[in-house]
Amino acid sequence: MRGAARRRAGHASKELVQLLTQDADSRPVPPSINPQNDAQPAKPVDRSGRAWRLRSQASLIVAIVLLQAVVIGLGWFASLHVARVDLSSRSRERTIDDITHGVEQFNQSLSDVVTGPLKYGTDEWAAAQSLVEACAMPRGAAVVLLDHSGHILCHPSLRNSPNLRNMDYSEVMVTLLPTGERVAMGGIKPGSVLSGETDSLHGTAAVAITYNNKAKVRVVAHRSAQDILAAEERNTSGLMLWGGLAGVLVLGLSVVGSVLLVRRYDSLLVRANERLEAEVLERTQRGLAIRNGLIFGLAKLADYRDTDTGKHLERICRYCDLLASELVGQHPEVDRAWIDRLCLASSMHDIGKVGIPDSILLKPGILTPEERQLMQMHAVIGADTLIAIRKRVGDDDLLNMGIQVALSHHERFDGTGYPFRLSGEQIPLSARIVALADMYDALTSVRVYKKAMGHAEAVAIILEGHGSHFDPAITTALKRIASRFEDARSAFAAEAGNDDRPLLFEAVESARRAQREAA
C-alpha cells in the first residue's frame, strides 16, 4: 500500500504543483498568445478591411432601404428614359403627321386663290403671300412657297425681308419617311404630300412638301427641331416630376413596410432566442445540478468510510461560505460565484481517504510514524482522483478548485504542513479557507480517538495558530464571525440520542452486534 501511494504521489506531483500556483478560475493560455512564449508583442488586429456587417436591426433596415432606393432609382431612370424616347418618337411622328395634313389643307386653299402659275409681284402672288402670312399651321409650323428654281417665292417674313427671295433651297436634302430615301428638295415632283426631315432651313427640321400643279410652286411646311425638342421637354417635365414623386412615395411605403416586417421578424426571432436561451439555461442548470450532485455523492461516499458525523460535509460547506463571504473585497477573485464553487469543492477535501486502509483510517489510537505517513497520502490520492476525472471531462473551474482543496488543505501557513510543505500564498486561498473550516469541525466533532470540544475552546486553539498554522487574514475573519460559526454548528448538530454517524456505519455496527448476540 505504501509503495502504491508513493507511486501515485510521484505521478501527480508535477501537475499538482502547477495547479497550486494558479487560481482556480484561471484558464490555460494558448502558446501563440502567451507573453512568455512570444518575444515580440502581439500585433493589433486590423479591422478596417473587414466587410461591413449587419449587426443590428437599424443597420438591416438601412441596408434594405438603400437597396430599395437603388433599385427604384434605376427602375425610375430606365423607365423615364424609355418613356422619353417613346414620347419623343411619338411627338415627332405626330408633328410630321400634323404638318402633312396642314400642307394638304394649305395646298387646297392656295388652289382656290390662284388661277395659274404664280409670279412675284402680281396680285395673285400678293393673295398667296397673304395666305402664307395668315396660315396657322398645326404645332407652330411655318409655310413657304418655292418657285420652280427652288427660290423662296412666298415667306411669312418676306415683306419685311425682301432678301429672302435670294435664298435657294433646291439643293437642300430631305430624308423621306418612312423609307429613309434622300432627295434634293428641287427634285421633288408633283404628286402627293411627302414628309421627312431636313438639315437646312435654319437647322434640323421636320418638313412636309407637296407640289401645287396649278400655281407651279412647291409648298413646304417645316418646324425646327428646337421647337420640337422644347415641346418634348414640356411634355416630359411633368412625367419626370410625377415619376419622381411616385418613386419617393414607393420608397417611403417600402421603408415603412420594411421597418414593420423587420420588426416583426425581429420580435419573432427575439422570442425564439428567448425560448432557446431558456431551454439552454434549463439544461445547463440541470447538467450542473447533476454534476454537483455526483460530486457531492462522491465526497459522501468517502465520508462513509470515516467515523465522522453524517453532516460533516454540510458543516464544512457552511463554514467555508461564512469565511469566504467575510473575505470579499480583500481578494479580487472572491465573489459569489467563487464562494459557491468553494462550498462544493470543500466537500471533496477528504475524498482521498477512500485509498487509506481501514486499519489506519479507523484506528482509535495514536498512529505510528509510518501509518501517519500513509494517512497523509490521502491528500495526493484525492487530488490524483480529481485529475483523472478532469482528463475525461476537460478543464473545469470546480474541478480545478477541488484539486487544490484536496491536495493543500493540510498545508500550514508557516510551511510545516503536508504533502509539499507549501507556505503563505503558495497555498491556494481556497485550501487555506478549507483548512481552518476543517480544523474547527474536527475539534468540535466526535472522533474515534477523541471527544467533541466546545466552541470557545476550538476557536481559541485556532486563533493560537494565527500566522503559523492558518492564514492571519482568515483567522481574523473567524474572530469577527465566531458567533455565526457556533450558530452553524448548532444548526447541523446531531439530534438528541443520535451521534449522527453515517447510516452505513450504523448498519455495519448493528450487524456485528447481532452476530455477537447470536454467538
Side-chain angles (χ1 to χ4, degrees):
M1 176 63 194
R2 180 178 178 181
R6 286 181 176 175
R7 284 194 297 272
R8 291 192 189 97
H11 176 71
S13 60
K14 291 183 179 179
E15 185 170 0
L16 297 176
V17 171
Q18 291 176 356
L19 275 170
L20 293 175
T21 60
Q22 67 179 24
D23 180 71
D25 291 328
S26 64
R27 290 288 186 272
V29 182
S32 61
I33 61 173
N34 192 330
Q36 296 179 354
N37 297 333
D38 293 333
Q40 299 297 330
K43 296 182 179 180
V45 179
D46 183 12
R47 302 179 184 273
S48 60
R50 285 189 176 183
W52 181 66
R53 297 179 179 178
L54 302 178
R55 300 182 181 273
S56 64
Q57 182 187 97
S59 62
L60 177 61
I61 293 175
V62 170
I64 293 175
V65 170
L66 289 177
L67 178 61
Q68 291 174 339
V70 171
V71 172
I72 292 175
L74 291 175
W76 175 79
F77 179 80
S79 300
L80 180 63
H81 176 71
V82 172
R84 292 188 67 176
V85 170
D86 183 68
L87 286 175
S88 176
S89 177
R90 290 176 180 271
S91 178
R92 289 175 182 271
E93 291 176 359
R94 186 171 181 180
T95 297
I96 291 175
D97 289 342
D98 289 344
I99 61 176
T100 298
H101 292 303
V103 164
E104 291 176 349
Q105 294 176 359
F106 180 85
N107 189 45
Q108 183 64 41
S109 300
L110 180 62
S111 298
D112 293 339
V113 298
V114 297
T115 58
L118 282 179
K119 293 183 179 181
Y120 181 75
T122 63
D123 292 339
E124 288 190 349
W125 171 87
Q129 175 65 26
S130 298
L131 186 63
V132 168
E133 293 173 354
C135 179
M137 292 289 290
R139 299 183 179 272
V143 176
V144 296
L145 301 181
L146 304 180
D147 60 18
H148 63 91
S149 63
H151 289 80
I152 290 179
L153 183 61
C154 294
H155 190 281
S157 302
L158 184 62
R159 296 184 192 273
N160 298 325
S161 302
N163 292 331
L164 291 175
R165 281 278 297 147
N166 298 325
M167 298 185 66
D168 183 5
Y169 288 98
S170 60
E171 300 299 327
V172 174
M173 301 301 295
V174 178
T175 301
L176 300 179
L177 297 178
T179 62
E181 180 185 358
R182 289 178 63 79
V183 297
M185 192 172 295
I188 294 176
K189 302 300 181 179
S192 61
V193 178
L194 302 178
S195 61
E197 294 181 344
T198 179
D199 293 332
S200 187
L201 294 176
H202 306 291
T204 303
V207 294
I209 307 172
T210 189
Y211 188 84
N212 190 296
N213 196 40
K214 188 176 182 180
K216 305 297 181 183
V217 295
R218 292 178 179 84
V219 180
V220 179
H222 65 89
R223 189 184 185 193
S224 68
Q226 293 182 350
D227 293 340
I228 296 175
L229 183 61
E232 292 174 358
E233 291 293 337
R234 288 192 299 271
N235 293 334
T236 57
S237 61
L239 177 64
M240 293 179 63
L241 174 62
W242 290 108
L245 292 177
V248 172
L249 178 62
V250 171
L251 181 61
L253 294 176
S254 178
V255 169
V256 174
S258 299
V259 170
L260 294 178
L261 290 176
V262 169
R263 286 185 175 179
R264 174 65 176 171
Y265 176 77
D266 190 61
S267 62
L268 293 175
L269 187 61
V270 166
R271 286 196 293 271
N273 287 337
E274 289 175 350
R275 290 194 298 269
L276 182 59
E277 289 175 0
E279 183 177 353
V280 171
L281 179 60
E282 180 183 357
R283 293 188 178 185
T284 301
Q285 291 176 342
R286 188 185 307 130
L288 290 176
I290 294 173
R291 181 201 67 172
N292 295 346
L294 291 174
I295 289 175
F296 193 81
L298 176 63
K300 202 73 172 176
L301 179 63
D303 205 35
Y304 281 158
R305 294 202 61 249
D306 205 349
T307 59
D308 205 348
T309 59
K311 294 186 179 179
H312 165 65
L313 299 183
E314 288 83 349
R315 290 195 299 272
I316 290 292
C317 292
R318 179 56 179 162
Y319 298 153
C320 290
D321 192 338
L322 293 172
L323 289 172
S325 298
E326 193 67 18
L327 296 176
V328 172
Q330 300 182 35
H331 297 272
E333 70 270 26
V334 179
D335 55 15
R336 189 64 252 175
W338 191 92
I339 295 172
D340 291 340
R341 278 197 300 275
L342 175 64
C343 291
L344 188 56
S346 66
S347 67
M348 296 183 279
H349 69 287
D350 274 341
I351 63 171
K353 287 184 177 181
V354 296
I356 305 302
D358 290 345
S359 60
I360 298 175
L361 187 64
L362 304 179
K363 184 177 180 179
I366 299 175
L367 299 177
T368 65
E370 184 177 14
E371 290 173 339
R372 181 172 297 279
Q373 186 177 8
L374 289 174
M375 183 65 177
Q376 290 176 356
M377 291 305 300
H378 82 275
V380 175
I381 295 172
D384 194 28
T385 301
L386 294 177
I387 288 174
I389 296 174
R390 190 181 64 177
K391 287 181 179 179
R392 294 299 185 106
V393 302
D395 187 65
D396 181 79
D397 289 341
L398 179 59
L399 286 176
N400 289 341
M401 185 180 285
I403 293 169
Q404 293 178 347
V405 167
L407 183 65
S408 304
H409 72 284
H410 284 297
E411 299 284 1
R412 295 170 62 98
F413 200 72
D414 59 4
T416 61
Y418 66 86
F420 297 117
R421 292 183 174 275
L422 301 177
S423 63
E425 294 189 356
Q426 288 181 324
I427 308 170
L429 177 61
S430 56
R432 304 201 301 267
I433 294 174
V434 174
L436 190 149
D438 188 39
M439 176 61 74
Y440 176 84
D441 193 67
L443 293 174
T444 56
S445 300
V446 177
R447 294 289 191 269
V448 293
Y449 51 85
K450 74 171 192 68
K451 295 181 180 180
M453 187 180 296
H455 167 75
E457 186 179 359
V459 172
I461 292 175
I462 291 174
L463 294 180
E464 288 177 1
H466 178 88
S468 58
H469 191 159
F470 304 109
D471 184 340
I474 300 176
T475 55
T476 301
L478 172 64
K479 190 174 181 180
R480 291 195 300 266
I481 59 173
S483 60
R484 297 170 65 185
F485 256 62
E486 185 174 16
D487 294 339
R489 185 176 68 92
S490 300
F492 291 100
E495 299 178 358
N498 182 7
D499 63 2
D500 200 26
R501 290 182 295 179
L503 296 177
L504 181 59
F505 186 86
E506 287 291 332
V508 172
E509 287 295 314
S510 298
R512 288 176 178 175
R513 286 195 299 269
Q515 288 179 353
R516 286 196 297 269
E517 291 175 359

